[in-house]
Amino acid sequence: MSSIICKDLCKTFQQGEEIITGLDRVSISIEKGDFVCLSGPSGSGKTTLLNAVGGLDKPDSGEILIGGIRIDNLGKGALADMRLHNIGFVFQAYNLIPVLTARENVEFVMQVSGMPALERAEKSLNILKEVGLEGMEERRPAQLSGGQQQRVAVARAIVSQPTLILADEPTANLDSVTASQLMDLFVELNQHHNVTFVIATHDVRVMKYAKRLIRMEDGKIITDVNQRHKNSD
Amino acid sequence: MSGHEKTLLPSKVIFKLAWRNLWRNHRRTLIMLSAITLGVWAMIFMTSLLRGMVDDLLYNGIRHLPGEVQIHQRNYRDDPSINNSMPPADAKLLTALNMPRVTAWTSRIKVSAVIASERDSRGVILLGVNPQSEVKLGFDLDSISSGRFLQSTNDSGLVIGAKLAERLETRLGKRVVIMSQDPKNNIAERGFRVVGIYRGKLASQEEMNVYAGLQTLQKMLKLGNQISEIAITAEDYRNTHQWFPVIKNATEDPLQALPWYEADSYLSTMMVTMDGFVLVWIVVVFMTLSFGLVNTLIMAVFERTREIGLMQSLGMRPTLILYQILIESFLLLLIGLVAGNVIALLTIIPLQDGIDISGVAQGMEMMGSSSVLYPALKLKDMLLANVIVIVLGLLTSLLPAWHASRLNPVEALSRN
């Protein structure tokens, strides 16, 4: 069963008097456990597709099904619940809540979903250790480097074991070593926990990790390449 | 993919976020807190001064009636003549008059009369009183400026106001003649020696009210044991409605019991007007505060737009965002209220002995108010101020909170 199905997605934006096409009849099917990279120049529609799949933005037309449930006609509250329980987001800018510590940021999603305090404390400490932030749990975002902040954001995205992680330029602000560590972490989650990844990126280093590479231009899918065999070679 | 379970309200994280966000911009929060504190203080402090002033006016007015409840013959209010006298309290009424709530009561004669000195004559209200119970009811012995007050119901002396003495060109120890009507419409007159001169709170009272012994007047007016009225008082004029029914039930036709708010509509109107004025005052002060409050919250939401988008993208429902902003507002209001209440108490309590406003209060004295203003801090007024600030504060916070909850996550995340 497909994890994500998009059918004929269209989305336009008004910018002044100009109408910009974000998505132009995009249809795509992503299997559960897949590792997909969306590439393409700025304005090609990668982030728009990611936002639509994550329920952050609604397409003008078309259908989106996640796990067999149509999400493009859900209300704001239902979409928020879907994101809370099923999707992890990693953004280009680290996007941590500045008034919370690293541990509290990681716990945030679990706390909102009503997980008991002891359980979430244990999980958050373990995941921070796993991403190499042991001893920095009580630091606030301003006291962490860019790489450390992104690792907190990743920890937050994966701690509640979502079935799908959507990442928008996750390595854009990271040095090559940190970017490589982050991608290794993504691959491990994908291989050992069967988490589906959809990553929008310009970074060729990230594209190397993808099982499937989709190239977009002007809101359309131009190429859709399965790299499994290439990677295994 | 698991089902879309409905999330319970995660109050702890919302409260934590609200509290920490409140102190992100210390300076702005402290300025807003100062404004709320000052506003709440102004609400409570000024209300207590206004209450004190009106309490004084009402207290003096009721004392002048006198008493919080009066019993008359049914026709007395329309025709306050000697023909509408009444018998003294019977056993049933005496039982009611002696209930614990009643702090004092007295029987009086109250008739129109003419007083004549060697030099002049004036129309006055002649009061036949029992001196002991009259003092308990509110006659202030310190108001006697020369001589003494009456000593018994048989006292043959007369106590007059300083203003009247001046008008009659008489003085302490001089004889005056009182003339009135007996029940058969014959002239009743008697000579009295002025044994005391008093200073009244009201100039009109000082000029009109003349005090004589109750039994002395009953003899002079051939009234037997008849009286004009029974005046009753208790501890707080605001609670008269609680014990008045007992007196009313013990009063049988043709007698009629009236509470002060029916006996003097001016006084009751003043009390109702005061309650309305307090409400208007509190709301007006709040409205000035609300602009600052809304501005603070709008700025806070504006500064955190990106963060709100992030929380939405992580799965925080719009209602939780709304609650968070409202809790932030609630905390701000609560701290301001506590500080405002404490400062109000700290400034009012030391003034309980009164504020001397004699320098500016001559006009007020004419209206029956004292030259010393006693702030009257009422729990009801404090509660009203607190409830209005919290309820209206949260209502005005709804706009920025609703705005935050309706943000589009994609647009919010792209905001710098």
Side-chain angles (χ1 to χ4, degrees):
Chain A
M1 180 181 154
S2 294
S3 181
I4 303 166
I5 296 172
C6 300
K7 291 181 192 166
D8 289 330
L9 292 187
C10 290
K11 177 80 183 174
T12 54
F13 302 99
Q14 181 101 29
Q15 201 168 64
E17 289 184 4
E18 198 182 351
I19 290 178
I20 295 167
T21 304
L23 297 173
D24 186 2
R25 298 178 66 82
V26 171
S27 293
I28 186 175
S29 175
I30 298 172
E31 299 288 320
K32 186 172 169 60
D34 214 340
F35 198 111
V36 179
C37 270
L38 302 173
S39 70
S42 295
S44 59
K46 307 183 297 290
T47 302
T48 308
L49 181 59
L50 217 57
N51 288 338
V53 169
L56 293 178
D57 208 357
K58 292 209 171 193
D60 298 335
S61 62
E63 290 179 14
I64 306 168
L65 289 95
I66 298 185
I69 297 170
R70 193 167 164 190
I71 67 154
D72 55 280
N73 53 8
L74 291 179
K76 283 190 170 185
L79 283 172
D81 284 347
M82 182 200 72
R83 289 194 293 272
L84 182 68
H85 297 292
N86 301 295
I87 301 177
F89 278 97
V90 181
F91 300 96
Q92 177 180 349
Y94 320 119
N95 280 325
L96 298 179
I97 300 168
V99 291
L100 301 181
T101 63
R103 179 182 55 76
E104 288 166 340
N105 263 287
V106 173
E107 281 190 24
F108 180 78
V109 173
M110 295 185 285
Q111 204 166 359
V112 173
S113 62
M115 189 182 285
L118 274 176
E119 190 182 346
R120 63 170 193 262
E122 191 185 342
K123 281 192 170 191
S124 61
L125 292 176
N126 285 341
I127 203 84
L128 283 170
K129 192 176 173 184
E130 213 171 302
V131 297
L133 291 174
E134 196 177 14
M136 299 181 187
E137 297 89 349
E138 299 310 318
R139 289 193 190 177
R140 292 223 177 158
Q143 298 166 304
L144 296 169
S145 70
Q148 287 166 339
Q149 286 186 49
Q150 189 64 307
R151 275 186 275 170
V152 175
V154 170
R156 182 183 61 196
I158 62 179
V159 71
S160 54
Q161 294 168 324
T163 52
L164 171 64
I165 289 182
L166 303 173
D168 191 5
E169 305 282 6
T171 58
N173 294 318
L174 302 182
D175 60 68
S176 58
V177 176
T178 314
S180 168
Q181 286 172 346
L182 178 68
M183 290 315 296
D184 289 340
L185 183 64
F186 280 3
V187 168
E188 195 212 327
L189 283 167
N190 176 249
Q191 287 177 350
H192 295 106
H193 300 282
N194 205 30
V195 177
T196 310
F197 276 83
V198 182
I199 303 171
T201 186
H202 282 106
D203 192 340
V204 286
R205 294 168 303 178
V206 174
M207 293 175 205
K208 281 194 305 186
Y209 289 86
K211 292 176 184 171
R212 188 173 162 195
L213 183 60
I214 297 171
R215 183 165 174 80
M216 296 183 74
E217 268 179 36
D218 301 326
K220 289 179 184 162
I221 293 176
I222 305 298
T223 58
D224 187 347
V225 181
N226 191 331
Q227 298 195 123
R228 278 186 184 87
H229 303 297
K230 197 173 127 187
N231 285 344
S232 60
D233 292 342
Chain B
M1 177 177 173
S2 63
H4 302 150
E5 308 96 288
K6 195 157 187 170
T7 309
L8 292 171
L9 186 66
S11 49
K12 211 170 173 181
V13 68
I14 292 178
F15 188 87
K16 189 197 292 176
L17 280 169
W19 177 253
R20 291 193 188 167
N21 279 323
L22 192 62
W23 299 106
R24 264 167 100 160
N25 191 330
H26 292 82
R27 198 175 300 165
R28 189 173 58 208
T29 300
L30 286 174
I31 288 171
M32 193 58 223
L33 273 178
S34 308
I36 296 173
T37 304
L38 191 67
V40 172
W41 171 82
M43 287 176 189
I44 297 172
F45 186 77
M46 288 304 293
T47 301
S48 76
L49 290 187
L50 288 167
R51 280 270 184 236
M53 199 172 74
V54 173
D55 267 4
D56 195 41
L57 285 168
L58 287 170
Y59 178 73
N60 286 334
I62 290 168
R63 200 168 63 169
H64 184 58
L65 276 173
E68 288 148 40
V69 172
Q70 291 188 325
I71 301 171
H72 298 110
Q73 213 260 33
R74 186 164 292 284
N75 299 323
Y76 181 84
R77 274 165 61 83
D78 294 332
D79 177 18
S81 71
I82 198 154
N83 293 317
N84 287 321
S85 305
M86 56 181 267
D90 59 15
K92 187 180 172 187
L93 185 54
L94 274 175
T95 308
L97 291 172
N98 290 324
M99 70 175 155
R101 296 292 296 262
V102 171
T103 51
W105 66 273
T106 191
S107 300
R108 318 164 102 215
I109 289 172
K110 189 175 180 182
V111 291
S112 299
V114 171
I115 184 167
S117 68
E118 297 157 328
R119 307 268 183 182
D120 207 346
S121 63
R122 315 286 294 186
V124 291
I125 294 170
L126 183 60
L127 298 163
V129 299
N130 177 330
Q132 282 75 35
S133 51
E134 193 71 17
V135 168
K136 281 186 193 166
L137 198 76
F139 186 91
D140 185 5
L141 287 176
D142 290 340
S143 68
I144 300 289
S145 56
S146 58
R148 61 170 175 84
F149 190 51
L150 302 169
Q151 288 170 332
S152 70
T153 52
N154 287 316
D155 199 316
S156 57
L158 197 69
V159 176
I160 64 172
K163 196 80 182 170
L164 181 63
E166 189 187 317
R167 296 257 192 242
L168 294 173
E169 294 181 49
T170 190
R171 63 177 189 274
L172 192 69
K174 286 278 190 178
R175 281 182 67 84
V176 290
V177 176
I178 295 279
M179 281 177 289
S180 189
Q181 276 185 323
D182 68 17
K184 291 179 180 168
N185 293 329
N186 297 318
I187 296 291
E189 63 175 21
R190 179 186 162 144
F192 287 89
R193 192 170 297 280
V194 177
V195 295
I197 293 178
Y198 71 90
R199 290 263 175 208
K201 287 219 169 190
L202 303 175
S204 59
Q205 180 192 355
E206 207 177 278
E207 203 171 334
M208 289 298 289
N209 289 357
V210 172
Y211 294 88
L214 176 67
Q215 287 183 320
T216 306
L217 277 197
Q218 282 171 333
K219 277 180 204 160
M220 173 189 148
L221 299 170
K222 300 182 183 71
L223 271 175
N225 63 355
Q226 293 280 98
I227 54 174
S228 303
E229 65 186 12
I230 294 174
I232 311 154
T233 192
E235 277 173 359
D236 189 345
Y237 67 83
R238 286 173 187 277
N239 299 331
T240 306
H241 62 280
Q242 293 172 2
W243 55 270
F244 169 66
V246 180
I247 301 291
K248 190 181 179 183
N249 292 338
T251 310
E252 287 173 358
D253 207 46
L255 301 188
Q256 183 187 32
L258 280 178
W260 64 269
Y261 42 83
E262 287 179 29
D264 191 332
S265 56
Y266 170 73
L267 292 179
S268 60
T269 305
M270 194 189 291
M271 193 170 84
V272 173
T273 307
M274 179 61 200
D275 285 343
F277 188 79
V278 165
L279 185 67
V280 169
W281 163 248
I282 289 174
V283 170
V284 166
V285 173
F286 174 79
M287 281 173 76
T288 57
L289 279 184
S290 66
F291 290 105
L293 179 67
V294 171
N295 182 54
T296 300
L297 291 173
I298 285 176
M299 284 304 294
V301 168
F302 182 75
E303 285 171 2
R304 300 208 301 268
T305 300
R306 192 183 168 90
E307 214 171 294
I308 290 166
L310 170 69
M311 290 194 285
Q312 286 180 318
S313 69
L314 293 176
M316 200 159 172
R317 279 176 157 254
T319 44
L320 296 186
I321 308 263
L322 183 113
Y323 289 147
Q324 191 202 314
I325 306 292
L326 287 182
I327 288 173
E328 207 170 313
S329 165
F330 176 75
L331 291 172
L332 191 67
L333 292 166
L334 195 66
I335 299 169
L337 276 175
V338 170
N341 279 281
V342 168
I343 294 173
L345 286 172
L346 291 176
T347 48
I348 292 169
I349 289 169
L351 299 174
Q352 288 303 297
D353 292 337
I355 308 163
D356 185 359
I357 53 166
S358 53
V360 292
Q362 281 181 335
M364 295 304 293
E365 280 188 54
M366 293 291 287
M367 287 169 61
S369 181
S370 312
S371 58
V372 177
L373 178 57
Y374 297 92
L377 185 62
K378 306 277 179 193
L379 183 64
K380 185 183 94 172
D381 293 335
M382 283 185 85
L383 282 175
L384 182 71
N386 284 274
V387 168
I388 283 182
V389 169
I390 283 285
V391 173
L392 293 188
L394 287 177
L395 282 177
T396 49
S397 307
L398 268 176
L399 179 69
W402 183 83
H403 173 71
S405 73
R406 305 309 299 169
L407 283 171
N408 178 310
V410 174
E411 286 173 16
L413 278 166
S414 62
R415 196 82 62 87
N416 286 320

